[in-house]
Amino acid sequence: MDKKLIIIPTYNEKENIEKILRVLFSLKEGYEVLIIDDNSPDGTAGIVKTLQTEFQDRLHLMQRAGKLGLGTAYIAGFKWAVERAYDYIFEMDADFSHDPNDLVRLYEACSKEGADLAIGSRYCKGVNVVNWPMKRVLMSWGASKYVKLVLGIPVNDCTAGFVCYRRKVLETIQLDKIKMKGYGFQIEMKYKAFKLGFKIKEVSVIFRDRTEGASKMSSSIFGEAFWGVIKLRFTKKI
C-alpha cells in the first residue's frame, strides 16, 4: 500500500485543527498527517499533542520556534517526508477551504493517471471560489494569469496550495534553493517541477473561504510573489 502524508502548516488554527484532523482520519484511504506549527500562541500545538494519543503513528507534529513562513514550513515537511520514504505527499490548509474528499482525486491523478504533480485548481474550469470578496477573486485570478504569461507555465492556478506530489519530484527539486517564503513558494515549486520535465495535472476543485480563524494573506506576501515571478523568469539554473 502506498504511504501517503498530508502536510498542514498551522498558525493560530485552534478553531479548525481538531475538526479537520477528525475528518482526515475518518477517510478510508489511510492518510497520515504532519502538522507543522509555528509556535501558535492560541495553543494549536497543544490540541495536536492531545490528539496524538488517539491517533498514534498517524498524527505527527513538528513545532518551530516562531512564524517562519509558509514556504519554509513546507520545505521542512517535504524533507521529513522524503527521509521517511512516503510515496505521495500532499499540501492542504487546516481551515476547510480545501475539501478533504478531493484528496482521493489528487492522489488518483498521480497514482492512476501518471501525473507527477497534481494541483487542486480553482481556475482550470472557470472560477470555482466560494465566499471570497470580488476584489480578492480578481486579485487571485489575475495573479494566476500573470504567472502563466510571464513564466510560460501551462498551469491555470499556480498559487494553489492544495497539491499532491510524487516523492521523486521532491527528491529532484533542490529544496534548499527555493527562495520565496510566502505564497510565492507555491509558484516557485510548480515552476521548477515544470522546468525539470515533470508531468503536471490540474484537478478542478471548489475553494471555499474559511469560516473560522483569520486569513494569513498580506500585501508583503503578494509583493514577494509579484517580484519573485520576475526573478524566476530570468533565472538560468533550476
Side-chain angles (χ1 to χ4, degrees):
M1 180 181 292
D2 292 325
K3 290 180 64 178
K4 302 181 286 291
L5 180 72
I6 301 167
I7 300 175
I8 304 179
T10 56
Y11 185 78
N12 287 349
E13 290 289 356
K14 70 176 183 180
E15 296 92 348
N16 296 304
I17 193 63
E18 181 170 355
K19 296 174 189 175
I20 191 69
L21 287 172
R22 290 197 179 280
V23 170
L24 292 174
F25 290 131
S26 73
L27 300 175
K28 65 180 181 179
E29 287 79 13
Y31 303 100
E32 293 181 40
V33 179
L34 170 63
I35 301 296
I36 304 177
D37 187 74
D38 275 6
N39 198 27
S40 298
D42 72 347
T44 298
I47 297 170
V48 175
K49 287 179 181 178
T50 299
L51 291 170
Q52 281 184 303
T53 62
E54 182 177 348
F55 300 108
Q56 293 183 16
D57 301 323
R58 296 187 66 191
L59 177 56
H60 313 282
L61 173 64
M62 182 186 298
Q63 290 181 270
R64 306 201 301 171
K67 196 174 181 182
L68 303 175
L70 181 77
T72 64
Y74 272 126
I75 288 171
F78 291 160
K79 291 179 177 179
W80 191 94
V82 168
E83 287 172 1
R84 290 158 179 80
Y86 286 90
D87 300 296
Y88 296 92
I89 299 95
F90 300 80
E91 300 178 10
M92 75 179 296
D93 294 342
D95 60 10
F96 287 94
S97 55
H98 303 139
D99 184 346
N101 292 303
D102 287 327
L103 286 164
V104 68
R105 298 172 61 220
L106 296 180
Y107 168 62
E108 289 181 351
C110 292
S111 64
K112 294 184 178 181
E113 298 172 32
D116 299 304
L117 167 58
I119 301 169
S121 176
R122 297 163 290 186
Y123 307 127
C124 67
K125 292 184 180 179
V127 178
N128 293 324
V129 177
V130 177
N131 294 333
W132 261 9
M134 183 55 66
K135 181 179 179 181
R136 189 169 178 185
V137 173
L138 291 173
M139 183 173 72
S140 174
W141 179 83
S144 291
K145 291 295 184 183
Y146 163 74
V147 172
K148 189 174 183 180
L149 176 66
V150 174
L151 296 181
I153 179 171
V155 172
N156 294 292
D157 193 357
C158 278
T159 61
F162 195 22
V163 180
C164 175
Y165 290 94
R166 287 181 182 268
R167 184 176 71 241
K168 67 180 180 181
V169 179
L170 302 180
E171 290 173 331
T172 304
I173 292 175
Q174 297 183 61
L175 297 174
D176 288 330
K177 293 188 176 181
I178 297 294
K179 303 292 186 184
M180 288 189 266
K181 293 180 171 60
Y183 286 89
F185 158 83
Q186 301 290 4
I187 300 168
E188 190 170 359
M189 285 293 295
K190 295 174 183 67
Y191 179 63
K192 291 197 172 186
F194 166 66
K195 294 295 285 185
L196 288 166
F198 288 109
K199 182 179 178 181
I200 300 174
K201 179 177 176 63
E202 289 187 270
V203 176
S204 181
V205 300
I206 296 175
F207 180 94
R208 291 177 172 83
D209 196 17
R210 65 166 61 234
T211 57
E212 296 186 271
S215 171
K216 313 303 188 294
M217 179 59 73
S218 68
S219 58
S220 63
I221 289 173
F222 184 80
E224 179 203 45
F226 180 87
W227 294 111
V229 168
I230 299 295
K231 292 178 182 178
L232 278 177
R233 174 65 179 80
F234 295 103
T235 297
K236 293 182 179 179
K237 290 186 178 181
I238 297 299

